[in-house]
mmCIF file with all atom_site columns, all heavy atoms in Angstrom:
data_model
loop_
_atom_site.group_PDB
_atom_site.id
_atom_site.type_symbol
_atom_site.label_atom_id
_atom_site.label_alt_id
_atom_site.label_comp_id
_atom_site.label_asym_id
_atom_site.label_entity_id
_atom_site.label_seq_id
_atom_site.pdbx_PDB_ins_code
_atom_site.Cartn_x
_atom_site.Cartn_y
_atom_site.Cartn_z
_atom_site.occupancy
_atom_site.B_iso_or_equiv
_atom_site.pdbx_formal_charge
_atom_site.auth_seq_id
_atom_site.auth_comp_id
_atom_site.auth_asym_id
_atom_site.auth_atom_id
_atom_site.pdbx_PDB_model_num
ATOM 1  N N   . VAL A 1 220 ? -50.018 -51.787 21.104 1.00 0.00 ? 220 VAL A N   1
ATOM 2  C CA  . VAL A 1 220 ? -49.365 -52.967 21.556 1.00 0.00 ? 220 VAL A CA  1
ATOM 3  C C   . VAL A 1 220 ? -49.508 -54.021 20.572 1.00 0.00 ? 220 VAL A C   1
ATOM 4  O O   . VAL A 1 220 ? -50.635 -54.410 20.215 1.00 0.00 ? 220 VAL A O   1
ATOM 5  C CB  . VAL A 1 220 ? -49.852 -53.372 22.973 1.00 0.00 ? 220 VAL A CB  1
ATOM 6  C CG1 . VAL A 1 220 ? -49.312 -54.726 23.436 1.00 0.00 ? 220 VAL A CG1 1
ATOM 7  C CG2 . VAL A 1 220 ? -49.598 -52.304 23.961 1.00 0.00 ? 220 VAL A CG2 1
ATOM 8  N N   . ALA A 1 221 ? -48.427 -54.654 20.055 1.00 0.00 ? 221 ALA A N   1
ATOM 9  C CA  . ALA A 1 221 ? -48.487 -55.585 18.916 1.00 0.00 ? 221 ALA A CA  1
ATOM 10 C C   . ALA A 1 221 ? -47.806 -56.779 19.511 1.00 0.00 ? 221 ALA A C   1
ATOM 11 O O   . ALA A 1 221 ? -46.563 -57.051 19.168 1.00 0.00 ? 221 ALA A O   1
ATOM 12 C CB  . ALA A 1 221 ? -47.835 -55.099 17.786 1.00 0.00 ? 221 ALA A CB  1
ATOM 13 N N   . ALA A 1 222 ? -48.531 -57.697 20.219 1.00 0.00 ? 222 ALA A N   1
ATOM 14 C CA  . ALA A 1 222 ? -47.899 -58.893 20.837 1.00 0.00 ? 222 ALA A CA  1
ATOM 15 C C   . ALA A 1 222 ? -48.331 -60.123 20.061 1.00 0.00 ? 222 ALA A C   1
ATOM 16 O O   . ALA A 1 222 ? -47.879 -61.406 20.430 1.00 0.00 ? 222 ALA A O   1
ATOM 17 C CB  . ALA A 1 222 ? -48.426 -59.037 22.290 1.00 0.00 ? 222 ALA A CB  1
ATOM 18 N N   . SER A 1 223 ? -49.212 -60.055 19.104 1.00 0.00 ? 223 SER A N   1
ATOM 19 C CA  . SER A 1 223 ? -49.962 -61.187 18.556 1.00 0.00 ? 223 SER A CA  1
ATOM 20 C C   . SER A 1 223 ? -48.969 -62.466 18.093 1.00 0.00 ? 223 SER A C   1
ATOM 21 O O   . SER A 1 223 ? -48.130 -62.146 17.251 1.00 0.00 ? 223 SER A O   1
ATOM 22 C CB  . SER A 1 223 ? -50.852 -60.790 17.377 1.00 0.00 ? 223 SER A CB  1
ATOM 23 O OG  . SER A 1 223 ? -51.640 -61.902 16.908 1.00 0.00 ? 223 SER A OG  1
ATOM 24 N N   . ARG A 1 224 ? -49.176 -63.559 18.625 1.00 0.00 ? 224 ARG A N   1
ATOM 25 C CA  . ARG A 1 224 ? -48.545 -64.729 18.308 1.00 0.00 ? 224 ARG A CA  1
ATOM 26 C C   . ARG A 1 224 ? -47.069 -64.662 18.367 1.00 0.00 ? 224 ARG A C   1
ATOM 27 O O   . ARG A 1 224 ? -46.286 -65.635 17.844 1.00 0.00 ? 224 ARG A O   1
ATOM 28 C CB  . ARG A 1 224 ? -48.930 -65.115 16.849 1.00 0.00 ? 224 ARG A CB  1
ATOM 29 C CG  . ARG A 1 224 ? -50.377 -65.455 16.733 1.00 0.00 ? 224 ARG A CG  1
ATOM 30 C CD  . ARG A 1 224 ? -50.774 -65.874 15.212 1.00 0.00 ? 224 ARG A CD  1
ATOM 31 N NE  . ARG A 1 224 ? -52.115 -66.137 15.171 1.00 0.00 ? 224 ARG A NE  1
ATOM 32 C CZ  . ARG A 1 224 ? -52.757 -66.471 13.991 1.00 0.00 ? 224 ARG A CZ  1
ATOM 33 N NH1 . ARG A 1 224 ? -52.150 -66.340 12.831 1.00 0.00 ? 224 ARG A NH1 1
ATOM 34 N NH2 . ARG A 1 224 ? -54.054 -66.841 14.021 1.00 0.00 ? 224 ARG A NH2 1
ATOM 35 N N   . LYS A 1 225 ? -46.514 -63.773 19.020 1.00 0.00 ? 225 LYS A N   1
ATOM 36 C CA  . LYS A 1 225 ? -44.994 -63.550 18.999 1.00 0.00 ? 225 LYS A CA  1
ATOM 37 C C   . LYS A 1 225 ? -44.313 -64.602 19.843 1.00 0.00 ? 225 LYS A C   1
ATOM 38 O O   . LYS A 1 225 ? -44.754 -65.388 20.655 1.00 0.00 ? 225 LYS A O   1
ATOM 39 C CB  . LYS A 1 225 ? -44.553 -62.126 19.378 1.00 0.00 ? 225 LYS A CB  1
ATOM 40 C CG  . LYS A 1 225 ? -45.122 -61.226 18.288 1.00 0.00 ? 225 LYS A CG  1
ATOM 41 C CD  . LYS A 1 225 ? -44.513 -59.835 18.491 1.00 0.00 ? 225 LYS A CD  1
ATOM 42 C CE  . LYS A 1 225 ? -44.845 -58.911 17.228 1.00 0.00 ? 225 LYS A CE  1
ATOM 43 N NZ  . LYS A 1 225 ? -44.416 -57.504 17.468 1.00 0.00 ? 225 LYS A NZ  1
ATOM 44 N N   . ARG A 1 226 ? -42.885 -64.568 19.667 1.00 0.00 ? 226 ARG A N   1
ATOM 45 C CA  . ARG A 1 226 ? -42.076 -65.707 20.291 1.00 0.00 ? 226 ARG A CA  1
ATOM 46 C C   . ARG A 1 226 ? -42.202 -65.716 21.663 1.00 0.00 ? 226 ARG A C   1
ATOM 47 O O   . ARG A 1 226 ? -42.227 -66.928 22.361 1.00 0.00 ? 226 ARG A O   1
ATOM 48 C CB  . ARG A 1 226 ? -40.658 -65.461 19.872 1.00 0.00 ? 226 ARG A CB  1
ATOM 49 C CG  . ARG A 1 226 ? -40.236 -65.753 18.416 1.00 0.00 ? 226 ARG A CG  1
ATOM 50 C CD  . ARG A 1 226 ? -38.862 -65.339 18.122 1.00 0.00 ? 226 ARG A CD  1
ATOM 51 N NE  . ARG A 1 226 ? -38.573 -63.889 18.418 1.00 0.00 ? 226 ARG A NE  1
ATOM 52 C CZ  . ARG A 1 226 ? -37.356 -63.305 18.682 1.00 0.00 ? 226 ARG A CZ  1
ATOM 53 N NH1 . ARG A 1 226 ? -36.332 -64.145 18.570 1.00 0.00 ? 226 ARG A NH1 1
ATOM 54 N NH2 . ARG A 1 226 ? -37.267 -62.077 18.769 1.00 0.00 ? 226 ARG A NH2 1
ATOM 55 N N   . PHE A 1 227 ? -42.331 -64.540 22.403 1.00 0.00 ? 227 PHE A N   1
ATOM 56 C CA  . PHE A 1 227 ? -42.277 -64.565 23.872 1.00 0.00 ? 227 PHE A CA  1
ATOM 57 C C   . PHE A 1 227 ? -43.502 -65.302 24.386 1.00 0.00 ? 227 PHE A C   1
ATOM 58 O O   . PHE A 1 227 ? -43.463 -65.943 25.419 1.00 0.00 ? 227 PHE A O   1
ATOM 59 C CB  . PHE A 1 227 ? -42.183 -63.175 24.470 1.00 0.00 ? 227 PHE A CB  1
ATOM 60 C CG  . PHE A 1 227 ? -43.431 -62.272 24.429 1.00 0.00 ? 227 PHE A CG  1
ATOM 61 C CD1 . PHE A 1 227 ? -44.203 -62.304 25.658 1.00 0.00 ? 227 PHE A CD1 1
ATOM 62 C CD2 . PHE A 1 227 ? -43.833 -61.667 23.341 1.00 0.00 ? 227 PHE A CD2 1
ATOM 63 C CE1 . PHE A 1 227 ? -45.357 -61.533 25.635 1.00 0.00 ? 227 PHE A CE1 1
ATOM 64 C CE2 . PHE A 1 227 ? -45.016 -60.862 23.276 1.00 0.00 ? 227 PHE A CE2 1
ATOM 65 C CZ  . PHE A 1 227 ? -45.726 -60.831 24.479 1.00 0.00 ? 227 PHE A CZ  1
ATOM 66 N N   . LEU A 1 228 ? -44.589 -65.216 23.683 1.00 0.00 ? 228 LEU A N   1
ATOM 67 C CA  . LEU A 1 228 ? -45.781 -66.041 24.118 1.00 0.00 ? 228 LEU A CA  1
ATOM 68 C C   . LEU A 1 228 ? -45.487 -67.477 23.969 1.00 0.00 ? 228 LEU A C   1
ATOM 69 O O   . LEU A 1 228 ? -46.030 -68.336 24.840 1.00 0.00 ? 228 LEU A O   1
ATOM 70 C CB  . LEU A 1 228 ? -47.095 -65.552 23.250 1.00 0.00 ? 228 LEU A CB  1
ATOM 71 C CG  . LEU A 1 228 ? -47.559 -64.071 23.450 1.00 0.00 ? 228 LEU A CG  1
ATOM 72 C CD1 . LEU A 1 228 ? -48.710 -63.813 22.527 1.00 0.00 ? 228 LEU A CD1 1
ATOM 73 C CD2 . LEU A 1 228 ? -47.925 -63.864 24.979 1.00 0.00 ? 228 LEU A CD2 1
#
Side-chain angles (χ1 to χ4, degrees):
V220 175
S223 185
R224 298 178 174 174
K225 287 188 174 176
R226 288 176 300 165
F227 79 96
L228 294 176

